[in-house]
Amino acid sequence: MAATAATPVTPTEPDPDRCVSEEESRGAEAEEENTQQQTGPAAAVSHSRLSKLPLARIKALMKTDPDVSLASQESVFIIAKATELFVEMIAKDSLVYAQQGKRKTLQRKDLDNAIEAIDEFAFLEGTLD
Amino acid sequence: MAERPEDLNLPNAVITRIIKEALPDGVNVSKEARRAISQAASVFVLYATSCANNFALKAKRKTLNAGDVLAAMEEMEFERFLEPLREALEVYKKGQKGKKEVSEQKRKDKEKKPDSENEKSREEEEEEEERMEEEPEAENDAEDEEVEN
């Protein structure tokens, strides 16, 4: 894991700047993202751009677990990134059910179907409202 | 300021963006589906954290590290995430290194001590673990925004 990569790895993110104009109209939560990107020294902001999800929020969530005492910055980042991948995955897997129903709109029931059918999502059973 | 899991959600705008980028054009997502996915994401964070923490505890460490999270992904049967996560971690680490060099340069300019080597390792430890308690400036601004709104 500690091996240094000689060739630079292309980040999977598209340029996060383009999200600013799109999201600005969407209210307070979007503002939170924007200020995080616009204020502060460039060096402090650049590392958090690798993750679309705000690391502070992820960290706060992690801290609600009483068994967790400390977490390295890297671990917070990796969890943020993994959550992003998870969201992508569950959206895609749910879409299959929408398409089966000849719909172009993803609905809650598509999600329920995916959770029931797919082993990796078993941990979600009974957890959603 | 005790935060309960139920109070903490991931920003809707970001979740929506991730979903839209994952799905083909022309596909819509209902509000209920979006909300459920957001909730699922929070559950995922908690579950992954708990799982990763077990690995840390097993190794008799108090600090969760990236390796614990990767091990958790495997345990949770999300092996498909491992490769992209490892790649992202490399890029992240490089970014961090650059940031540290900048702050170290500032410290060196301030205090001209001959023993800069010792300072370095001590700083690394402090920064790594302190992060849980003390948040970087940029993120503080963001959180202040949230409270005011």
Side-chain angles (χ1 to χ4, degrees):
Chain A
M1 190 188 81
T4 44
T7 43
V9 175
T10 318
T12 51
E13 314 297 311
D15 187 342
D17 283 340
R18 75 177 169 86
C19 75
V20 173
S21 50
E22 192 188 315
E23 298 303 330
E24 254 174 340
S25 52
R26 291 203 193 170
E29 276 164 330
E31 264 181 293
E32 185 186 305
E33 305 301 309
N34 295 342
T35 40
Q36 189 176 345
Q37 288 174 7
Q38 288 166 6
T39 59
V45 167
S46 62
H47 77 274
S48 57
R49 278 186 180 177
L50 288 182
S51 163
K52 290 174 175 143
L53 294 162
L55 297 190
R57 196 78 70 92
I58 298 282
K59 184 167 52 173
L61 253 174
M62 290 167 73
K63 278 170 91 171
T64 61
D65 186 333
D67 295 332
V68 173
S69 26
L70 289 167
S72 71
Q73 264 193 298
E74 281 179 7
S75 68
V76 178
F77 169 74
I78 294 290
I79 290 204
K81 202 68 198 150
T83 306
E84 215 178 289
L85 296 173
F86 167 80
V87 170
E88 285 174 12
M89 181 176 164
I90 201 168
K92 287 179 179 159
D93 288 342
S94 303
L95 183 63
V96 171
Y97 293 96
Q99 288 169 337
Q100 271 178 16
K102 306 222 168 97
R103 281 179 281 107
K104 281 195 162 178
T105 300
L106 200 67
Q107 289 173 5
R108 170 60 196 263
K109 59 183 173 186
D110 301 320
L111 215 70
D112 291 332
N113 281 330
I115 290 171
E116 209 178 331
I118 298 167
D119 285 343
E120 289 96 313
F121 297 148
F123 73 93
L124 290 170
E125 277 169 30
T127 62
L128 308 180
D129 287 343
Chain B
M1 183 169 78
E3 310 225 50
R4 297 168 303 157
E6 311 89 78
D7 297 336
L8 290 166
N9 278 322
L10 300 167
N12 281 329
V14 181
I15 295 289
T16 301
R17 195 184 335 136
I18 298 172
I19 296 173
K20 291 219 143 176
E21 285 174 5
L23 300 178
D25 289 337
V27 170
N28 294 317
V29 184
S30 77
K31 203 164 63 168
E32 292 76 26
R34 227 185 311 142
R35 197 171 64 83
I37 291 180
S38 184
Q39 259 187 311
S42 296
V43 175
F44 175 84
V45 171
L46 295 172
Y47 182 34
T49 299
S50 175
C51 207
N53 199 43
N54 285 338
F55 285 101
L57 292 176
K58 254 194 278 190
K60 302 212 170 117
R61 268 182 286 105
K62 284 201 169 172
T63 306
L64 237 168
N65 65 28
D68 298 325
V69 179
L70 292 173
M73 289 300 120
E74 218 174 328
E75 171 110 335
M76 289 161 68
E77 294 179 36
F78 286 107
E79 288 100 349
R80 60 176 80 186
F81 290 177
L82 291 177
E83 205 36 57
L85 286 180
R86 285 192 184 118
E87 285 181 13
L89 182 60
E90 283 306 312
V91 181
Y92 178 77
K93 286 206 279 207
K94 282 196 186 127
Q96 285 299 85
K97 195 173 147 207
K99 196 167 72 100
K100 260 186 200 156
E101 278 163 11
V102 167
S103 60
E104 266 176 30
Q105 195 54 52
K106 285 182 186 165
R107 287 192 205 216
K108 274 183 189 162
D109 290 342
K110 276 186 186 172
E111 340 157 359
K112 285 166 190 170
K113 281 186 180 172
D115 227 10
S116 56
E117 276 304 306
N118 283 342
E119 262 196 25
K120 204 191 230 179
S121 48
R122 190 165 52 82
E123 271 174 19
E124 272 177 17
E125 265 187 303
E126 281 178 355
E127 277 201 48
E128 277 284 315
E129 298 192 351
E130 237 177 350
R131 287 298 174 188
M132 285 296 282
E133 308 306 326
E134 188 187 298
E135 306 191 317
E137 273 182 17
E139 281 170 350
N140 259 337
D141 288 341
E143 297 223 304
D144 284 344
E145 276 279 345
E146 201 184 326
V147 168
E148 277 163 23
N149 284 332

